[in-house]
Amino acid sequence: MCFGPFPLHQTMASRKESAASGSSPLETPVKQIQIDGLVVLKIIKHYQEEGQGSEVVQGVLLGLVVEDSLEITNCFPFPQHTEDDVDFDEVQYQMEMMRSLRHVNIDHLHVGWYQSTHYGSFVSRALLDSQFSYQHAIEESVVLIYDPIKTAQGSLCLKAYRLTPKLMEICKEKDFSPEGLKKACIGFEIMFEEVPIVIKNSHLINVLLLDLQEKSTVADKHELLNLSSSNHLEKSLQLLMDRVDDMNQDIGKYNTYCRNLSKQQQQKQQYLQRRQQENTQRQSRGEPPLPEEDISKMFKPPQAPPRMDTLLIAGQVNNYCQNIKEFTSQNLGKLFMAEALQGHSS
Amino acid sequence: MWQQLKMKYKNHESHGDLRSLSSSLFIIILHFLYEIMAVHGPVVKIHPVVLASIVDSYERRNEGATRVIGTLLGTTDKHSVEVTNCFSVPHNESEDEVAVDMEFAKNMYELHKKVSPSEVIIGWYATGYDITEHSVLIHEYYSREAPNPIHLTVDTALQSNKMNIRAYVSSQMGVPGKTVGVMFTPLTVKYVYYDTERIGVELLQRTRASPSRTNGLTTDLAQVASAAGRVQEMLTTVLSYIEDILSGKVMADNSVGRFLMDLVNKVPKITAEDFESMLNSNINDLLMVTYLANLTQAQIALNEKLVVL
């Protein structure tokens, strides 16, 4: 499912050179993201047409970096991975698409990728890997997460995320053991950082929008003020419970590992003590002491479970909780409005 | 229109040339049809993403090109054609010849088909106001790709202070057997949106208002507040209309009155106690969920810290 950037090597090399020779590597390379209205519409359309009921839809973002903001000016969708994976070549598709777009003067620089999500569940290993490979090649790349269900509830939900530098380091080391993570001092809250988004349209598009507004019929569905919340809340809570169960299992595993480790330590100590006792006894009896055996070979340390999954699950749980809180606060507001409408306020 | 017709008739009566009369009559009728935008074919439903794409490719056109052309993709059914996607095709146009990169068009269509297999070529678009002779040639090419292709024009040069978006379909005209020509008949154009698209477009509309042409995505409660604000505005408009009627300034309209009655009746009539209990139980549910979510977040934060110890 994950795919990385297969950059046009010349552009990549030249970019790296200019980054090295020009300004110093920035701590937070990009402060905000500027998206064209066209990209928003395309992402919405892609999900609407191809993403019903199935997993995520993905695509590539094209644009350029301007001073301290990343401008995303166009995008193209990626076909879904179906059974006929064998004869479909992602790399070729991407290369051809970019080449063709270059002919019509569309920015052909890869600056990131987008993905749709189901109730906010996108913190996964696949996403991490993809984003890591993207950010490794292109420093400023981001992943845009589009939540269609929340959008259908009334307002566009589009968020841009990037891996924090700390997480980048860890992924580079590939050291996911508990000690490694402890050293890096990473928590689930500093895994991803959100970059603020701003939508911009050119003047001509504004003229188009004006035209559209005059000619289109008024919307008859005003989802934002919809009071029925239980369905959505139920599903979110269900997903949250599943994740918490996963987390529980993971913690259980870690606990057993810790217990095994400490038991082993005890056994080692006991063995050493016994050895010493025997040696002193033998010495007192005048016999040669027993040879020191290699303890590490006798007591093999238990396998440390990788902690990256726990981190991801914690991040996901956090995300779910955030979404639920937002949703409930909105609904509380709506309920109070309904009360005012009834006119029963004291 | 009819005066023109009469004058021409008078002229030709004096000259006695029936054939030129019929041709001029024909032309006049054509103009007439143009003006009333007769529906001689399917209704064209356009998604806003297509128009935004067209405008964007016009903005990115090569130096010296006056217009851009491209292919339209979508679906057709018996009475309508729905345009859902498009891509631009590089072409060169000069006084006497026009060259379109067909290979490119084919390639792009193949790539697009991989993503959405249900979209087919249904026509082509061009920016600009008029239909030129080159358009006829290009249209002929596209009629090989699709049965009865649609031609869409988007006036990006804003010749009449508006972006005229028109669609045409070609039909044969002329005297059969002798000179045959091609006429572009206009079709009605409608804008259709998916629900999520509509919400996206609404957000984009808001960027029009701000001076720097930018807009951030608002936070959760602010959205509810702005929606409530909009409802309030609508209510004030309705109220002022009612005041006008009561004071006699405006004539009362029965159908509007019925709608108003509907509106007032939509607020459900529930007894105070029932409503209180409903409201309270709902609020309790939401508060409990918020509490649990906060608890979970605190738990995982604690877990994090314990592991690191």
Side-chain angles (χ1 to χ4, degrees), chain B residues 232-296:
Chain B
Q232 224 177 2
E233 265 175 59
M234 291 195 266
L235 281 175
T236 36
T237 331
V238 172
L239 272 176
S240 62
Y241 171 73
I242 296 178
E243 304 264 310
D244 281 343
I245 290 189
L246 284 179
S247 63
K249 269 193 255 173
V250 180
M251 283 298 299
D253 189 359
N254 276 332
S255 49
V256 175
R258 261 177 252 130
F259 280 129
L260 284 173
M261 176 95 149
D262 258 345
L263 179 73
V264 172
N265 281 336
K266 275 225 168 75
V267 179
K269 284 202 182 63
I270 320 175
T271 57
E273 304 90 38
D274 282 344
F275 186 76
E276 277 292 316
S277 60
M278 274 199 278
L279 188 74
N280 281 332
S281 64
N282 257 324
I283 292 185
N284 278 334
D285 283 340
L286 292 175
L287 285 176
M288 177 190 78
V289 171
T290 317
Y291 172 71
L292 284 175
N294 276 328
L295 193 66
T296 323

Coordinates of all heavy atoms in Angstrom, one line a residue, chain B residues 232-296:
Chain B
Q232 N -29.5 33.0 11.2 CA -30.0 34.3 11.7 C -30.2 35.3 10.6 O -31.2 36.0 10.6 CB -29.0 34.8 12.7 CG -29.7 35.3 14.0 CD -28.8 35.8 15.0 OE1 -27.5 35.8 14.8 NE2 -29.3 36.2 16.1
E233 N -29.2 35.4 9.7 CA -29.4 36.4 8.6 C -30.6 36.1 7.8 O -31.4 37.0 7.5 CB -28.2 36.2 7.7 CG -27.1 37.2 7.9 CD -25.9 36.9 7.0 OE1 -26.1 36.9 5.8 OE2 -24.8 36.6 7.5
M234 N -30.8 34.8 7.5 CA -31.9 34.4 6.7 C -33.2 34.8 7.4 O -34.2 35.3 6.8 CB -31.9 32.9 6.4 CG -30.8 32.5 5.4 SD -31.0 30.9 4.7 CE -30.0 29.9 5.9
L235 N -33.2 34.5 8.7 CA -34.4 34.9 9.5 C -34.7 36.4 9.4 O -35.9 36.8 9.3 CB -34.3 34.4 10.9 CG -34.5 32.9 11.2 CD1 -34.2 32.5 12.6 CD2 -35.9 32.5 10.8
T236 N -33.7 37.2 9.6 CA -33.9 38.6 9.5 C -34.5 39.1 8.2 O -35.4 39.9 8.1 CB -32.6 39.4 9.8 OG1 -31.5 38.8 9.2 CG2 -32.4 39.6 11.3
T237 N -34.0 38.4 7.1 CA -34.5 38.8 5.8 C -36.0 38.5 5.7 O -36.9 39.3 5.3 CB -33.8 38.0 4.7 OG1 -32.5 37.7 5.0 CG2 -33.9 38.8 3.4
V238 N -36.4 37.3 6.2 CA -37.8 36.8 6.2 C -38.6 37.8 7.0 O -39.7 38.2 6.6 CB -37.9 35.4 6.7 CG1 -39.3 35.0 6.8 CG2 -37.2 34.4 5.7
L239 N -38.1 38.1 8.2 CA -38.8 39.0 9.1 C -39.1 40.4 8.5 O -40.2 40.9 8.5 CB -38.0 39.2 10.4 CG -38.3 38.2 11.5 CD1 -37.4 38.4 12.7 CD2 -39.8 38.3 11.9
S240 N -38.1 40.9 7.8 CA -38.3 42.3 7.2 C -39.3 42.2 6.1 O -40.1 43.1 5.9 CB -36.9 42.8 6.7 OG -36.4 42.0 5.7
Y241 N -39.3 41.0 5.4 CA -40.3 40.8 4.3 C -41.7 40.8 4.9 O -42.6 41.5 4.4 CB -40.0 39.5 3.6 CG -41.1 39.1 2.6 CD1 -41.2 39.7 1.4 CD2 -41.9 38.0 2.9 CE1 -42.2 39.3 0.5 CE2 -42.9 37.6 2.0 CZ -43.0 38.3 0.8 OH -44.0 37.9 0.0
I242 N -41.8 40.2 6.0 CA -43.2 40.1 6.7 C -43.6 41.5 7.2 O -44.8 41.9 7.0 CB -43.1 39.1 7.9 CG1 -42.8 37.7 7.3 CG2 -44.4 39.1 8.6 CD1 -42.7 36.6 8.4
E243 N -42.6 42.2 7.7 CA -43.0 43.6 8.2 C -43.5 44.4 7.0 O -44.5 45.1 7.1 CB -41.7 44.3 8.7 CG -41.0 43.6 9.8 CD -41.4 44.1 11.2 OE1 -41.4 45.3 11.4 OE2 -41.8 43.2 12.0
D244 N -42.8 44.3 5.9 CA -43.2 45.0 4.7 C -44.7 44.7 4.3 O -45.5 45.5 4.0 CB -42.3 44.7 3.5 CG -41.0 45.5 3.6 OD1 -41.0 46.4 4.4 OD2 -40.0 45.1 2.9
I245 N -45.0 43.4 4.4 CA -46.3 43.0 4.0 C -47.3 43.6 5.0 O -48.4 44.1 4.6 CB -46.4 41.4 3.9 CG1 -45.6 40.9 2.8 CG2 -47.9 41.0 3.8 CD1 -45.8 39.5 2.5
L246 N -47.0 43.5 6.3 CA -47.9 43.9 7.3 C -48.2 45.4 7.2 O -49.3 45.9 7.4 CB -47.4 43.6 8.7 CG -47.5 42.1 9.1 CD1 -46.9 41.9 10.5 CD2 -49.0 41.7 9.1
S247 N -47.1 46.1 6.8 CA -47.3 47.6 6.7 C -47.9 48.0 5.4 O -48.1 49.1 5.1 CB -46.0 48.3 7.0 OG -45.1 47.9 6.0
G248 N -48.1 47.0 4.5 CA -48.8 47.2 3.3 C -47.9 47.6 2.1 O -48.3 47.9 1.0
K249 N -46.5 47.6 2.3 CA -45.6 48.0 1.2 C -45.6 47.0 0.1 O -45.4 47.4 -1.0 CB -44.2 48.2 1.8 CG -44.0 49.7 2.3 CD -42.5 49.9 2.5 CE -42.3 49.9 4.1 NZ -40.9 50.0 4.4
V250 N -45.7 45.7 0.5 CA -45.6 44.7 -0.5 C -46.8 43.9 -0.5 O -47.5 43.6 0.5 CB -44.3 43.8 -0.2 CG1 -44.2 42.7 -1.2 CG2 -43.1 44.6 -0.1
M251 N -47.2 43.4 -1.7 CA -48.4 42.6 -1.8 C -48.1 41.2 -1.3 O -47.1 40.6 -1.5 CB -48.8 42.4 -3.3 CG -49.5 43.6 -3.9 SD -51.0 43.9 -3.0 CE -51.9 42.4 -3.4
A252 N -49.0 40.7 -0.5 CA -48.8 39.3 0.1 C -49.0 38.3 -1.0 O -49.8 38.4 -1.9 CB -49.9 39.1 1.2
D253 N -48.1 37.3 -0.9 CA -48.1 36.2 -1.9 C -48.5 34.9 -1.2 O -47.9 34.6 -0.2 CB -46.7 36.1 -2.5 CG -46.7 35.2 -3.7 OD1 -47.8 34.6 -4.0 OD2 -45.6 35.0 -4.3
N254 N -49.5 34.2 -1.7 CA -50.0 33.1 -1.0 C -49.0 31.9 -0.9 O -48.9 31.3 0.2 CB -51.3 32.5 -1.7 CG -52.5 33.3 -1.2 OD1 -52.5 33.8 -0.1 ND2 -53.5 33.4 -2.1
S255 N -48.3 31.7 -1.9 CA -47.4 30.5 -1.9 C -46.3 30.8 -0.8 O -45.9 29.9 -0.1 CB -46.8 30.3 -3.2 OG -46.3 31.5 -3.8
V256 N -45.8 32.1 -0.8 CA -44.8 32.4 0.2 C -45.4 32.2 1.6 O -44.7 31.7 2.5 CB -44.3 33.8 0.0 CG1 -43.3 34.2 1.1 CG2 -43.6 34.0 -1.4
G257 N -46.6 32.6 1.7 CA -47.3 32.5 3.0 C -47.3 31.0 3.4 O -47.1 30.7 4.6
R258 N -47.6 30.1 2.5 CA -47.6 28.7 2.8 C -46.3 28.2 3.3 O -46.2 27.4 4.2 CB -48.1 27.9 1.6 CG -49.6 27.5 1.7 CD -50.1 26.8 0.5 NE -51.0 27.7 -0.2 CZ -50.8 27.8 -1.6 NH1 -49.9 27.2 -2.2 NH2 -51.7 28.6 -2.2
F259 N -45.2 28.7 2.6 CA -43.9 28.3 3.0 C -43.6 28.8 4.4 O -43.0 28.1 5.3 CB -42.8 28.9 2.1 CG -42.6 28.1 0.8 CD1 -42.7 28.7 -0.4 CD2 -42.4 26.7 0.9 CE1 -42.5 28.0 -1.6 CE2 -42.3 26.0 -0.3 CZ -42.3 26.7 -1.5
L260 N -44.0 30.0 4.7 CA -43.8 30.5 6.1 C -44.5 29.7 7.1 O -44.0 29.4 8.2 CB -44.3 32.0 6.1 CG -43.4 33.0 5.4 CD1 -44.1 34.4 5.4 CD2 -42.1 33.1 6.2
M261 N -45.7 29.3 6.8 CA -46.5 28.4 7.7 C -45.7 27.1 8.0 O -45.6 26.7 9.1 CB -47.8 28.2 7.1 CG -48.7 27.2 7.8 SD -49.8 28.1 8.9 CE -51.1 26.9 8.8
D262 N -45.2 26.6 6.9 CA -44.4 25.3 7.0 C -43.2 25.6 8.0 O -42.9 24.7 8.8 CB -43.8 25.0 5.6 CG -44.5 23.8 5.0 OD1 -45.3 23.2 5.7 OD2 -44.4 23.6 3.8
L263 N -42.5 26.7 7.7 CA -41.4 27.0 8.5 C -41.7 27.1 10.0 O -41.0 26.5 10.8 CB -40.8 28.4 8.1 CG -39.6 28.9 8.8 CD1 -38.4 28.0 8.4 CD2 -39.3 30.3 8.5
V264 N -42.8 27.8 10.3 CA -43.1 27.9 11.7 C -43.5 26.6 12.3 O -43.2 26.3 13.5 CB -44.3 29.0 11.9 CG1 -44.7 29.0 13.3 CG2 -43.7 30.3 11.5
N265 N -44.2 25.8 11.5 CA -44.6 24.5 12.1 C -43.5 23.5 12.2 O -43.7 22.5 12.9 CB -45.7 23.8 11.1 CG -47.0 24.5 11.4 OD1 -47.3 25.0 12.5 ND2 -47.9 24.5 10.4
K266 N -42.3 23.7 11.6 CA -41.3 22.8 11.6 C -40.7 22.7 13.0 O -40.1 21.7 13.4 CB -40.1 23.2 10.7 CG -40.4 22.6 9.3 CD -39.2 22.0 8.7 CE -39.6 21.3 7.4 NZ -39.8 22.1 6.3
V267 N -40.7 23.8 13.8 CA -40.2 23.7 15.2 C -41.2 22.8 16.0 O -42.4 23.1 16.1 CB -40.2 25.1 15.8 CG1 -39.7 25.0 17.2 CG2 -39.3 26.0 15.0
P268 N -40.7 21.7 16.4 CA -41.6 20.7 17.0 C -42.2 21.2 18.3 O -41.5 21.9 19.1 CB -40.7 19.5 17.3 CG -39.4 20.0 17.3 CD -39.3 21.2 16.5
K269 N -43.5 20.8 18.5 CA -44.2 21.3 19.7 C -44.1 20.2 20.8 O -44.7 19.2 20.7 CB -45.6 21.6 19.4 CG -45.9 22.8 18.7 CD -47.4 23.3 18.9 CE -47.7 24.6 18.2 NZ -47.6 24.4 16.7
I270 N -43.2 20.4 21.7 CA -43.0 19.4 22.8 C -43.3 20.1 24.1 O -42.9 21.2 24.3 CB -41.6 18.8 22.8 CG1 -41.1 18.6 21.3 CG2 -41.6 17.5 23.5 CD1 -39.7 18.1 21.3
T271 N -43.9 19.3 25.0 CA -44.1 19.9 26.3 C -42.8 20.2 27.0 O -41.8 19.5 26.7 CB -44.9 19.0 27.2 OG1 -44.2 17.7 27.3 CG2 -46.3 18.7 26.6
A272 N -42.8 21.1 27.9 CA -41.6 21.6 28.5 C -40.8 20.4 29.2 O -39.6 20.3 29.1 CB -41.9 22.7 29.5
E273 N -41.6 19.6 30.0 CA -40.8 18.6 30.8 C -40.2 17.6 29.8 O -39.0 17.2 30.0 CB -41.8 17.8 31.7 CG -42.6 18.6 32.7 CD -43.9 19.1 32.0 OE1 -44.5 18.3 31.3 OE2 -44.2 20.2 32.3
D274 N -41.0 17.2 28.8 CA -40.4 16.2 27.8 C -39.1 16.7 27.2 O -38.1 16.0 27.1 CB -41.4 15.9 26.7 CG -42.4 14.9 27.2 OD1 -42.2 14.3 28.2 OD2 -43.5 14.8 26.5
F275 N -39.2 18.0 26.8 CA -38.1 18.6 26.1 C -36.9 18.6 27.1 O -35.7 18.3 26.7 CB -38.4 19.9 25.6 CG -37.3 20.5 24.8 CD1 -37.1 20.1 23.5 CD2 -36.5 21.5 25.3 CE1 -36.0 20.6 22.8 CE2 -35.4 22.0 24.6 CZ -35.2 21.5 23.3
E276 N -37.2 19.1 28.3 CA -36.1 19.1 29.3 C -35.4 17.8 29.5 O -34.2 17.7 29.4 CB -36.7 19.5 30.7 CG -36.9 21.0 30.9 CD -35.6 21.8 31.0 OE1 -34.7 21.3 31.7 OE2 -35.5 22.8 30.3
S277 N -36.2 16.7 29.6 CA -35.6 15.4 29.9 C -34.8 15.0 28.7 O -33.7 14.5 28.8 CB -36.7 14.4 30.2 OG -37.6 14.3 29.2
M278 N -35.3 15.2 27.4 CA -34.6 14.8 26.2 C -33.3 15.6 26.2 O -32.2 15.0 26.0 CB -35.4 15.2 25.0 CG -36.4 14.1 24.6 SD -36.9 14.3 22.9 CE -38.1 15.5 23.0
L279 N -33.4 16.9 26.4 CA -32.2 17.7 26.3 C -31.1 17.2 27.3 O -30.0 17.0 27.0 CB -32.5 19.2 26.6 CG -31.4 20.2 26.4 CD1 -31.2 20.3 24.9 CD2 -31.8 21.5 27.0
N280 N -31.6 17.0 28.6 CA -30.7 16.6 29.6 C -30.0 15.3 29.3 O -28.8 15.1 29.5 CB -31.4 16.5 31.0 CG -31.6 17.9 31.6 OD1 -30.8 18.8 31.3 ND2 -32.6 18.1 32.4
S281 N -30.8 14.3 28.8 CA -30.2 13.0 28.6 C -29.1 13.1 27.5 O -28.1 12.5 27.5 CB -31.2 11.9 28.2 OG -31.9 12.3 27.0
N282 N -29.5 13.9 26.4 CA -28.5 14.1 25.4 C -27.2 14.7 25.9 O -26.1 14.3 25.6 CB -29.1 15.0 24.3 CG -29.5 14.2 23.1 OD1 -28.9 13.2 22.7 ND2 -30.6 14.5 22.5
I283 N -27.4 15.8 26.7 CA -26.2 16.5 27.2 C -25.4 15.6 28.1 O -24.2 15.6 28.0 CB -26.7 17.8 28.0 CG1 -27.2 18.8 27.0 CG2 -25.5 18.4 28.7 CD1 -27.6 20.1 27.6
N284 N -26.1 14.7 28.9 CA -25.4 13.8 29.7 C -24.5 12.8 28.9 O -23.4 12.6 29.2 CB -26.3 13.0 30.6 CG -26.7 13.8 31.8 OD1 -26.0 14.7 32.3 ND2 -27.9 13.5 32.3
D285 N -25.1 12.3 27.8 CA -24.4 11.4 26.9 C -23.1 12.1 26.4 O -22.0 11.5 26.5 CB -25.2 11.0 25.7 CG -26.3 10.0 26.1 OD1 -26.1 9.3 27.1 OD2 -27.2 9.9 25.3
L286 N -23.3 13.3 25.9 CA -22.1 13.9 25.3 C -21.1 14.2 26.4 O -19.9 14.0 26.1 CB -22.6 15.2 24.6 CG -23.4 15.0 23.4 CD1 -23.9 16.4 22.9 CD2 -22.7 14.3 22.3
L287 N -21.5 14.7 27.6 CA -20.5 15.0 28.6 C -19.8 13.7 29.0 O -18.6 13.7 29.2 CB -21.2 15.6 29.8 CG -21.7 17.0 29.6 CD1 -22.4 17.5 30.8 CD2 -20.5 17.9 29.4
M288 N -20.5 12.6 29.1 CA -19.9 11.3 29.5 C -18.8 11.0 28.5 O -17.7 10.6 28.9 CB -20.9 10.2 29.6 CG -20.3 8.9 30.0 SD -21.4 7.5 29.8 CE -21.4 7.3 28.1
V289 N -19.2 11.1 27.2 CA -18.2 10.7 26.2 C -17.0 11.6 26.3 O -15.8 11.1 26.1 CB -18.9 10.8 24.8 CG1 -17.8 10.6 23.7 CG2 -19.9 9.7 24.7
T290 N -17.2 12.9 26.5 CA -16.0 13.8 26.6 C -15.2 13.4 27.8 O -13.9 13.4 27.6 CB -16.5 15.3 26.8 OG1 -17.6 15.5 25.9 CG2 -15.4 16.2 26.5
Y291 N -15.8 13.1 28.9 CA -15.1 12.7 30.1 C -14.2 11.4 29.8 O -13.0 11.4 30.1 CB -16.0 12.4 31.2 CG -15.4 11.8 32.4 CD1 -14.5 12.6 33.2 CD2 -15.6 10.5 32.8 CE1 -13.9 12.0 34.3 CE2 -15.0 10.0 33.9 CZ -14.2 10.7 34.7 OH -13.6 10.2 35.8
L292 N -14.8 10.4 29.1 CA -14.1 9.2 28.8 C -13.0 9.5 27.9 O -11.9 8.9 28.0 CB -15.1 8.2 28.2 CG -16.0 7.5 29.1 CD1 -17.0 6.6 28.3 CD2 -15.3 6.7 30.1
A293 N -13.2 10.4 26.9 CA -12.1 10.6 25.9 C -10.9 11.3 26.7 O -9.8 10.9 26.5 CB -12.6 11.6 24.8
N294 N -11.2 12.2 27.6 CA -10.2 12.9 28.3 C -9.4 11.9 29.2 O -8.2 11.9 29.3 CB -10.8 14.0 29.2 CG -10.9 15.2 28.5 OD1 -10.2 15.5 27.6 ND2 -12.0 16.0 28.8
L295 N -10.2 11.0 29.8 CA -9.6 9.9 30.7 C -8.6 9.1 29.9 O -7.5 8.8 30.3 CB -10.7 9.1 31.2 CG -10.4 8.1 32.4 CD1 -10.0 8.9 33.6 CD2 -11.6 7.3 32.7
T296 N -9.1 8.7 28.7 CA -8.2 7.8 27.8 C -6.9 8.5 27.5 O -5.9 8.0 27.6 CB -9.0 7.5 26.5 OG1 -10.3 7.2 26.8 CG2 -8.3 6.2 25.9

